[in-house]
Amino acid sequence: MAASGLLRSFSSNFSTAWPLLTRSALLLAPLRLSPKPYNGRTIASSSRLSAALKFTDKHEWVRVDDNGTGTVGISNFAQEALGDVVYCGLPEVGTQLAQQDEFGALESVKAASELYSPLTGEVVEVNTLLADNPGLVNKSCYKDGWLMKMTIANPAEVDALMDEAAYEKYIRSIED
Amino acid sequence: MWARLTVTVGRSVLGLRASREGLRRVAGAGCAGRTHQETRDFSVEAAVKKTPLFDFHRYHGGKMVEFAGWSMPVQYKDTHIVSHMHTREHCSIFDVSHMLQTKIHGKDRIKFMESLVVADIAELKDNQGTLSLFTNEKGGIMDDLIVTKTDQGYLYVVSNAGCADKDSLHMKARLAEYKAAGLDVDLEFIDEALIALQGPTMAQTLQAGLKEDLSKLTFMTSALVTVFGIPECRVTRCGYTGEDGVEISVPRLRVVELAEKLLSNSKVKLAGLGARDSLRLEAGLCLYGNDIDETTTPVEASLVWTIGKRRRQMKDFPGADIIVPQIKAKTARKRVGLVSTGPPVRQHTSILSPDGQVIGEVTSGCPSPCLKKNIAMGYVDAAFSKNGTALQVEIRKKTVPAVVSKMPFVPTSYYSG
């Protein structure tokens, strides 16, 4: 149960006695209750770009582009858990981020998710289409719903992230 | 990504205490018959309760969560927004069997109930109901409820699932006093199912199953009827969405049959607690535990209208000596509606004056699927409570403009005949 959580509740009735790990991923459980086992859409089946995706345990992905910048987004697993995204809070271009720094938030009707930087670097571009079309995060989380692009100060950080296979294994482990 | 789930649904706050495993077992135990006490992840000692529609929810793709000790569907296969909009455009079925249904019998039932709530029940017409409040000696709100004066010799009360234990103890305590004084009252806690059918096409959907003319059943009136061949159903024209709707109390052994019958109409869909919460907030309806609780008086909560005129004069309800003077003297804070754009406003968000002073706190908030703006309820210093007042809210250390707005945020469609 080393899974880092996906969801935290703000409910005033929420028992603070619960350890963070069990509080986490609450909305993940309902998704698991569908009769089908989770095989979802595997990432490989959705895009040729997927081979280069690396994942964090907080369900962000980063793809190193040809020019050496990293494009960042959230995984299909995460967008499903979140539900219809209605608002994207994204950083300003030029923001310096250390790995795991909070860089923004995505909001659905019921849930708010902070976003944590997968890498150390500087924000060079933000997906401005999301201002008017936040639903792109749900419809195309690996392509048109990308969140931001950043420089990669420390390439070793990329290597240390999970590849697609490891991430799929990770999802299965936290769902069980 | 860490997500903070602000799930505030139904008439009580969603207590998300079950772990992933616990939730899965809640879902699985229905068929396997495993008790939840076996699950060490549950902090609750009693098993999570299931309504008679539990298996039906799962069969229809319901995502089950624990709520006020019950396993309830938060949504089904449709997304939250689709489900919400379907209710506003067609109609949806909500399982609300977790709420407490009580019948109060006896000659002195009106006096009994009036000793606990702020409503003028005596002046209600036969089969008319009203929203009311259980208050405590400090003037705080113990729960909100709907009480109906039936012509069948009993009062019919529906109150929140999250307050069921509290409310039933409260009523039983008063019952003991009344019985000791030789008065004629009896309580009957009903173990039947309760479903809500809400939306503009509710009437045409339901009329097909009734002999009676539904156009005669106006908002906040109730009738005992046979619905789609199921006798002894109490249909009350009320709800928690702002739409024209009914709540149907139906024998637990036949609720699945009724739900399936209603669902066979292609205009009707199932909706869960998620949509229920965004619908009620758009309708400006309070959620007990968030917007009202034992620390809020009816005057602070802008619910003075629930206090009957005669009751204000007689001051014969709990906390009247505190509440009634507040009507004239006004209170230091007031519950208001807020509208904003940008990042959604959630519970516990600080409300600031134009010059940045903290003057209140948000008690409920969500993006409004209908308005495509953010709506919220909260308490502010009375000086800032007028509609149109420009305020700010503080979200993730940034201030965002917000405007005090009248509620409902979305016009309601209650049926007046």
Side-chain angles (χ1 to χ4, degrees):
Chain A
M1 269 237 298
S4 64
L6 188 66
L7 302 166
R8 234 187 311 138
S9 168
F10 267 175
S11 158
S12 62
N13 280 359
F14 203 92
S15 166
T16 54
W18 281 95
L20 193 63
L21 290 174
T22 54
R23 271 201 293 195
S24 63
L26 288 166
L27 258 198
L28 302 182
L31 293 173
R32 290 302 293 131
L33 299 181
S34 70
K36 288 187 309 190
Y38 177 80
N39 48 26
R41 280 176 298 154
T42 63
I43 295 146
S45 63
S46 61
S47 166
R48 268 179 300 125
L49 301 166
S50 65
L53 290 176
K54 300 300 286 277
F55 294 84
T56 70
D57 61 1
K58 293 195 176 73
H59 310 282
E60 280 105 4
W61 56 262
V62 59
R63 184 181 65 240
V64 181
D65 300 323
D66 292 337
N67 58 4
T69 55
T71 303
V72 177
I74 62 163
S75 70
N76 184 54
F77 183 75
Q79 72 78 12
E80 266 189 4
L82 190 52
D84 291 322
V85 176
V86 299
Y87 179 80
C88 301
L90 296 173
E92 287 181 6
V93 170
T95 307
Q96 300 290 336
L97 295 169
Q99 193 178 39
Q100 295 188 28
D101 274 354
E102 192 186 314
F103 71 87
L106 299 178
E107 307 241 15
S108 66
V109 181
K110 291 312 297 175
S113 297
E114 271 84 39
L115 298 162
Y116 296 88
S117 185
L119 305 170
T120 304
E122 181 183 313
V123 179
V124 297
E125 199 183 333
V126 158
N127 188 349
T128 52
L129 288 180
L130 296 179
D132 289 328
N133 200 347
L136 281 174
V137 175
N138 301 107
K139 289 194 227 36
S140 178
C141 58
Y142 295 114
K143 200 161 155 286
D144 301 326
W146 62 275
L147 301 174
M148 65 152 181
K149 295 186 203 254
M150 61 189 301
T151 60
I152 301 175
N154 187 352
E157 285 176 345
V158 180
D159 297 331
L161 296 178
M162 287 182 270
D163 63 15
E164 180 200 326
Y167 178 65
E168 297 219 342
K169 201 165 157 202
Y170 167 66
I171 293 174
R172 268 181 260 276
S173 76
I174 57 173
E175 286 200 312
D176 290 335
Chain B
M1 178 182 86
W2 282 90
R4 289 168 292 138
L5 181 62
T6 56
V7 186
T8 51
V9 295
R11 287 189 184 141
S12 293
V13 179
L14 189 65
L16 290 173
R17 288 175 297 168
S19 69
R20 297 182 292 281
E21 287 154 292
L23 284 169
R24 202 187 52 197
R25 285 181 209 202
V26 163
C31 301
R34 270 182 293 160
T35 66
H36 304 294
Q37 278 125 341
E38 295 162 13
T39 308
R40 62 182 164 81
D41 292 304
F42 271 92
S43 66
V44 291
E45 276 156 21
V48 171
K49 291 177 272 201
K50 294 183 284 194
T51 72
L53 289 164
F54 177 79
D55 290 330
F56 173 87
H57 293 316
R58 292 185 57 230
Y59 175 77
H60 286 279
K63 297 170 169 59
M64 310 303 287
V65 294
E66 191 208 316
F67 175 65
W70 293 81
S71 176
M72 301 298 290
V74 68
Q75 71 182 68
Y76 297 83
K77 291 175 191 152
D78 286 334
T79 66
H80 184 143
I81 293 178
V82 165
S83 185
H84 177 113
M85 295 310 296
H86 185 87
T87 312
R88 294 258 179 258
E89 289 160 6
H90 303 288
C91 81
S92 297
I93 303 173
F94 300 81
D95 179 10
V96 288
S97 305
H98 57 320
M99 294 206 285
L100 182 65
Q101 299 178 73
T102 312
K103 284 184 183 168
I104 308 177
H105 303 274
K107 235 169 22 33
D108 299 306
R109 62 187 179 279
I110 292 178
K111 189 176 141 110
F112 169 83
M113 193 56 177
E114 286 194 355
S115 78
L116 297 171
V117 302
V118 299
D120 186 338
I121 301 175
E123 69 151 15
L124 292 173
K125 297 201 260 288
D126 273 351
N127 298 315
Q128 186 183 12
T130 183
L131 177 74
S132 196
L133 311 169
F134 284 128
T135 50
N136 62 28
E137 296 298 335
K138 294 209 183 79
I141 300 171
M142 288 180 67
D143 197 8
D144 64 340
L145 56 117
I146 293 185
V147 53
T148 301
K149 189 174 123 182
T150 74
D151 63 0
Q152 302 289 304
Y154 56 81
L155 300 177
Y156 171 64
V157 180
V158 182
S159 57
N160 286 306
C163 299
D165 291 342
K166 180 172 73 165
D167 291 350
S168 54
L169 279 173
H170 187 55
M171 287 189 278
K172 283 185 196 165
R174 182 68 92 238
L175 182 70
E177 286 171 22
Y178 267 55
K179 282 196 181 292
L183 293 162
D184 178 27
V185 190
D186 269 303
L187 284 182
E188 184 192 349
F189 297 108
I190 305 172
D191 192 25
E192 304 298 2
L194 188 66
I195 59 175
L197 188 63
Q198 302 279 313
T201 59
M202 174 284 293
Q204 84 197 45
T205 304
L206 189 59
Q207 184 65 78
L210 296 176
K211 278 208 302 284
E212 294 81 357
D213 182 359
L214 196 53
S215 71
K216 301 253 174 32
L217 192 75
T218 51
F219 182 59
M220 298 310 288
T221 61
S222 185
L224 209 47
V225 290
T226 294
V227 182
F228 287 108
I230 303 167
E232 301 293 304
C233 292
R234 175 162 290 284
V235 175
T236 309
R237 202 147 190 164
C238 68
Y240 198 49
T241 61
E243 294 300 320
D244 181 23
V246 292
E247 290 183 353
I248 309 174
S249 180
V250 45
R252 61 188 358 258
L253 291 177
R254 303 196 67 178
V255 64
V256 172
E257 176 193 337
L258 178 58
E260 281 173 354
K261 190 72 212 202
L262 292 167
L263 262 192
S264 68
N265 182 326
S266 60
K267 286 261 159 69
V268 181
K269 288 189 170 204
L270 291 167
L273 297 182
R276 183 166 164 83
D277 189 45
S278 48
L279 288 161
R280 69 93 191 167
L281 187 56
E282 284 186 341
L285 299 170
C286 290
L287 172 62
Y288 190 80
N290 277 40
D291 311 302
I292 49 177
D293 59 29
E294 300 213 9
T295 71
T296 61
T297 72
V299 185
E300 291 174 322
S302 307
L303 293 174
V304 175
W305 66 267
T306 60
I307 312 173
K309 276 219 176 76
R310 171 176 59 86
R311 311 302 314 280
R312 298 179 210 188
Q313 281 155 13
M314 298 299 294
K315 300 215 318 236
D316 55 355
F317 55 88
D321 289 335
I322 297 172
I323 294 168
V324 176
Q326 284 183 346
I327 299 175
K328 208 156 160 208
K330 311 278 179 218
T331 51
R333 60 176 184 161
K334 281 207 67 86
R335 182 180 63 93
V336 298
L338 292 170
V339 175
S340 63
T341 54
V345 177
R346 311 280 187 185
Q347 188 186 22
H348 303 310
T349 295
S350 293
I351 306 173
L352 312 179
S353 63
D355 62 349
Q357 302 297 311
V358 176
I359 49 139
E361 186 175 302
V362 172
T363 52
S364 284
C366 76
S368 161
C370 286
L371 301 179
K372 298 202 171 49
K373 290 188 192 175
N374 302 311
I375 56 176
M377 276 186 202
Y379 286 81
V380 297
D381 291 350
F384 297 95
S385 61
K386 249 179 69 176
N387 289 334
T389 306
L391 295 175
Q392 305 181 87
V393 285
E394 187 174 28
I395 301 170
R396 292 188 198 94
K397 303 194 177 87
K398 296 210 189 89
T399 58
V400 175
V403 181
V404 175
S405 304
K406 65 173 175 53
M407 294 180 281
F409 299 100
V410 170
T412 56
S413 307
Y414 302 133
Y415 175 74
S416 50

